[in-house]
Amino acid sequence: MGLKSSSQDKGSIFKSFKGAFMVELETKVKIPFLWGKASFTKCLWTNINLIVGPNGSGKTLLAQELKNQFSQAGFDVTFLKSERSDQEKLLSTLKENSAIREKIESVLSNMFGKAIRFEEKSDGTFVPIVVNKSRGVEYNLKEGECHGLREILTLLVALYSCTTKVLILDEPELHLHPQFQLFFMNEIRRVSEDEPERIFFLITHSPYFIDLRFAEDLLGVVVCHVNRVPTYIDYLSDKDEMLFRRFLPRFNTYHKQFFFSDNQIFVEGYTDQQMFTNLLPAVNNKSGIAGTGIIDVGGKDELGVFFKVCSLLGTDGRIITDLDSLFCGKLRDVVCDDDRPQCWLDAQFEKQRSFYRSLFSKREMETPLTLEKLIRRLEAFIINIGKFICEVENPISPEIDIFVEKVHSIYSKYEKPEGLDTFKTVVLQGICGLNEKLKDILPLPLALTVVPAINLKNLILAAFESARVYILPDGCIEHYYTQSKIEYMPVSGKDRLFHAELEFINECSPQELSREYPLLVELLNRASNRS
C-alpha cells in the first residue's frame, strides 16, 4: 500500500500515500449460508467506507459483523439501522443538547425555511414541533411532517451528536430526495475532515452516496455480491491512481449504477445503449438479463477505465465495443494487461501451436506469446495489405471497388494513415468481408496472409471475450442496422441512421428482433451469461 504506520498497535491511525487517514484492523467475516466456506478479510479501512451491492448480497450482515469486530478491538461503535428503531432516542438529543439543536436548526432553516422546538406534554415527555417560518404555522413533527424531514433530522443528530469513534449508517438514503442525499454525504465528508480519527460506514443502494473525489477513495469501497465473498481494492498503483484521477471528474451518477449490480454491460455511446437495451427482450437467457443494465460511458477511453475499476473491485462488468478498440485506446491496454486473456491464450497454446508457427519465426516463438504480440502481428498483416490496396487502380468488381475507394480516401486525407485505428479497422473489414475475392487482386505473398489474418482476428476476439469484453466483429453498431447498409467505418450521419433504426425496432416483437438482429442478440446472450 505504501503506508507508514505511526504505531504498531491494532486500530492505530496512520496516513496513506496521499495523506488520507486509514485504520489498520484485521477483520475476518464468515457467513456460510451466503459464501460457503470462503471468508471476507480486510485489514485497512479508510475514514469513509461504502458497503454497496445488490439486494440479498449480505451488506447489513457484513456490517453487523464488522461492528462486532471493531467493538472487540476496543472501538466504540454506533449502528443506525435501517428501521431506525432508535430514532426517538436520537431526536431527544435535540431537547437535551442546545448546541446540536442550534446547529440543526440552522441547517433546517437554510434547507426548508423551518425550525424545530420542543413542547412539553402533561406526562413530562417532549414533542418536537415544526415551525414553518414562511407561513407562520406549527405542527407536530410526528403527525404532520413528511418522512424526509424526520429522516434528515435523525441522520444529522446521529452525525453531529455521536461520540463513538465508529458510526455505521444503514441505508441513509431512505425517504431522502437526491439533493438531500448529496447534502448529507457532504456533511459526512466535512465532519470526517474535521475529525479524521472517526470512521464511517455507509450501507447504501444510492449512487448519490458514491462520492469518489480522489482515486484513493476507491480503497474505501466494499462491493457485496450474490453468493460470493465481498470484494474491494486493497492497492492502487501509480498508473491506476493517475488513470482514475483523470477519470473521476467525469464519473456521473448514471455511471455509478454498476456498484449495485454485477450484471452491468458498458458500451461507448448512447446509440449502442439504446440498441442493446431494446434488444434485451429478445435474449433467451432470461435469468441472465434480470437486473442487466446497459450503461453508456461516453467514450472509448472511458471503457478502459470502467474495465479497470470493475477488474480491481472484483465486479463482473461486461463491455461491448467497436472493432477499432483493437487498435488504440486504454481498453486495449488494460485488457492486454489483464490476467484472464493470458490464461486463456496459455490454455489454447497446444491447440494453436501449428497456427502460431505459421505466424511467427522460430526466434519469435521463444518469447512469450501475449495478446499484445498477436494484435501487433495482425496489424502487420493489415498494414501490408492496406498499402497495396492504396496502389490498386483498376478493381475487378463493385465490392472491391468500394473497398479500394475507401482506402484511397483515407490515404488522401492523412499523410501517414497506417498508424490510425480507422485505417486498420477499414482494411480489416475489407479483409474479412471480401476474403477470397480480395485474393484476386493481391500478389501471392499478400494473398496468403488473408486467411491467417481472419483466423488471427477471431482468436484475438475470443481472448478479449475471456475478459468479458465483446468486440463487434463487423465494425460498429451501425454495421448491424437493417434499415440502412453501411460498408465501412467511420460512419457519417449516425444520429439520422439511429432514429430510423429505432423506429423499426420499436415496432418489432421479441421474436422479430431475434430474426432481424441475430448476431447482436447472440452477442447479448453471451454477455449476459453469468457463468
Side-chain angles (χ1 to χ4, degrees):
M1 290 294 298
L3 303 171
K4 293 184 179 180
S5 175
S6 60
S7 169
Q8 296 303 313
D9 297 332
K10 274 191 174 182
S12 61
I13 302 292
F14 56 97
K15 289 186 176 182
S16 77
F17 62 102
K18 293 299 176 183
F21 285 96
M22 300 188 75
V23 170
E24 182 177 18
L25 176 66
E26 186 173 351
T27 55
K28 185 174 183 179
V29 178
K30 291 186 177 182
I31 307 180
F33 71 91
L34 287 179
W35 313 328
K37 295 181 179 180
S39 60
F40 169 82
T41 58
K42 193 174 191 299
C43 182
L44 298 173
W45 300 94
T46 63
N47 49 0
I48 298 178
N49 302 278
L50 303 171
I51 301 178
V52 300
N55 289 330
S57 58
K59 297 185 295 297
T60 301
L61 290 173
L62 172 63
Q64 184 62 54
E65 288 296 321
L66 293 175
K67 172 186 178 295
N68 295 339
Q69 295 190 30
F70 270 83
S71 296
Q72 291 165 10
F75 290 87
D76 295 328
V77 182
T78 296
F79 194 148
L80 186 60
K81 297 182 179 180
S82 58
E83 63 269 21
R84 306 295 189 253
S85 57
D86 45 4
Q87 189 173 62
E88 293 299 321
K89 180 180 178 181
L90 285 167
L91 289 177
S92 69
T93 303
L94 291 172
K95 172 179 68 70
E96 300 165 355
N97 191 321
S98 60
I100 297 295
R101 183 174 65 250
E102 290 171 4
K103 189 173 185 178
I104 290 180
E105 283 179 346
S106 175
V107 170
L108 293 177
S109 179
N110 291 331
M111 292 174 67
F112 298 103
K114 299 177 182 180
I116 298 290
R117 69 176 178 83
F118 283 86
E119 183 177 278
E120 186 174 4
K121 297 176 67 175
S122 58
D123 62 0
T125 60
F126 284 80
V127 177
I129 301 297
V130 176
V131 181
N132 189 327
K133 298 178 180 179
S134 63
R135 296 189 178 277
V137 297
E138 300 180 355
Y139 50 89
N140 188 319
L141 173 65
K142 297 180 181 178
E143 298 174 356
E145 188 53 77
C146 64
H147 291 296
L149 181 52
R150 276 182 284 179
E151 184 68 17
I152 195 67
L153 268 172
T154 303
L155 292 171
L156 289 173
V157 171
L159 179 63
Y160 297 152
S161 67
C162 182
T163 58
T164 59
K165 193 168 186 179
V166 180
L167 176 60
I168 303 174
L169 300 171
D170 194 356
E171 297 190 76
E173 67 270 17
L174 288 176
H175 307 304
L176 289 189
H177 187 281
Q179 74 184 73
F180 298 138
Q181 295 179 39
L182 288 171
F183 161 77
F184 185 63
M185 187 65 213
N186 286 333
E187 284 298 284
I188 291 175
R189 188 174 284 279
R190 186 183 61 77
V191 171
S192 175
E193 291 171 353
D194 291 341
E195 305 174 49
E197 73 281 358
R198 292 183 66 183
I199 307 165
F200 297 92
F201 288 88
L202 280 69
I203 309 163
T204 181
H205 296 98
S206 172
Y208 296 100
F209 283 99
I210 308 296
D211 185 39
L212 305 175
R213 302 184 183 183
F214 308 99
E216 58 268 24
D217 289 339
L218 283 163
L219 300 176
V221 179
V222 176
V223 183
C224 294
H225 314 278
V226 176
N227 298 326
R228 64 186 178 99
V229 172
T231 53
Y232 57 91
I233 298 174
D234 61 359
Y235 173 78
L236 285 176
S237 67
D238 290 341
K239 185 178 179 180
D240 294 337
E241 193 274 334
M242 184 173 65
L243 180 68
F244 296 142
R245 187 177 62 212
R246 294 178 57 192
F247 162 73
L248 285 175
R250 303 194 297 273
F251 188 49
N252 62 40
T253 303
Y254 174 67
H255 295 151
K256 296 172 184 176
Q257 295 177 71
F258 84 92
F259 283 99
F260 309 102
S261 171
D262 277 345
N263 212 26
Q264 300 295 336
I265 297 173
F266 302 101
V267 295
E268 182 177 339
Y270 80 95
T271 56
D272 305 79
Q273 191 273 338
Q274 285 292 299
M275 285 291 294
F276 285 117
T277 297
N278 281 281
L279 290 174
L280 279 175
V283 173
N284 293 326
N285 184 11
K286 300 306 179 186
S287 61
I289 65 169
T292 294
I294 311 292
I295 302 175
D296 67 275
V297 302
K300 197 174 302 171
D301 278 353
E302 276 74 7
L303 284 175
V305 178
F306 275 92
F307 177 91
K308 189 66 176 180
V309 172
C310 288
S311 177
L312 289 173
L313 279 175
T315 60
D316 190 24
R318 275 64 60 83
I319 288 173
I320 299 177
T321 185
D322 299 344
L323 185 60
D324 59 357
S325 293
L326 284 181
F327 305 120
C328 72
K330 286 184 173 56
L331 182 59
R332 166 177 166 164
D333 295 339
V334 294
V335 173
C336 286
D337 287 340
D338 193 84
D339 291 337
R340 288 169 290 179
Q342 191 58 54
C343 290
W344 186 87
L345 288 172
D346 291 344
Q348 295 289 314
F349 185 82
E350 289 303 322
K351 181 180 178 180
Q352 301 293 339
R353 183 188 290 273
S354 61
F355 177 53
Y356 293 148
R357 284 175 174 170
S358 70
L359 300 177
F360 301 105
S361 67
K362 185 177 180 180
R363 184 174 181 179
E364 289 173 322
M365 287 290 289
E366 293 174 355
T367 59
L369 191 105
T370 64
L371 181 56
E372 179 69 26
K373 186 174 180 177
L374 293 178
I375 295 174
R376 290 190 180 280
R377 184 48 44 99
L378 176 61
E379 289 175 323
F381 286 150
I382 289 170
I383 290 170
N384 289 334
I385 291 175
K387 286 180 176 179
F388 180 84
I389 293 298
C390 180
E391 304 298 327
V392 173
E393 297 293 342
N394 298 306
I396 60 175
S397 71
E399 289 178 301
I400 291 180
D401 187 36
I402 293 172
F403 175 50
V404 170
E405 183 179 345
K406 189 68 177 181
V407 174
H408 281 179
S409 68
I410 295 174
Y411 267 96
S412 64
K413 188 174 182 180
Y414 301 99
E415 185 176 348
K416 294 182 178 181
E418 294 88 355
L420 299 175
D421 57 305
T422 301
F423 169 82
K424 296 171 187 174
T425 304
V426 167
V427 176
L428 183 56
Q429 287 178 302
I431 291 171
C432 296
L434 297 172
N435 198 340
E436 294 295 329
K437 297 177 182 177
L438 194 60
K439 294 180 182 180
D440 294 334
I441 63 169
L442 294 175
L444 184 58
L446 286 181
L448 292 175
T449 66
V450 169
V451 172
I454 295 172
N455 292 337
L456 185 52
K457 170 204 169 186
N458 294 335
L459 185 68
I460 291 169
L461 296 193
F464 267 73
E465 192 164 322
S466 70
R468 307 309 300 268
V469 176
Y470 302 83
I471 292 179
L472 295 169
D474 291 345
C476 57
I477 195 70
E478 289 81 11
H479 292 98
Y480 297 85
Y481 284 0
T482 62
Q483 303 306 294
S484 54
K485 186 177 181 180
I486 308 297
E487 296 287 352
Y488 296 99
M489 294 177 73
V491 179
S492 58
K494 285 188 174 184
D495 193 63
R496 173 181 54 81
L497 297 173
F498 163 70
H499 285 288
E501 201 70 26
L502 187 61
E503 287 182 13
F504 174 74
I505 284 179
N506 287 335
E507 296 175 356
C508 291
S509 67
Q511 294 76 19
E512 290 169 331
L513 290 175
S514 296
R515 290 195 299 269
E516 293 290 335
Y517 304 93
L519 297 177
L520 294 182
V521 171
E522 171 54 28
L523 187 147
L524 267 178
N525 248 320
R526 301 200 307 274
S528 60
N529 191 325
R530 299 190 189 189
S531 60

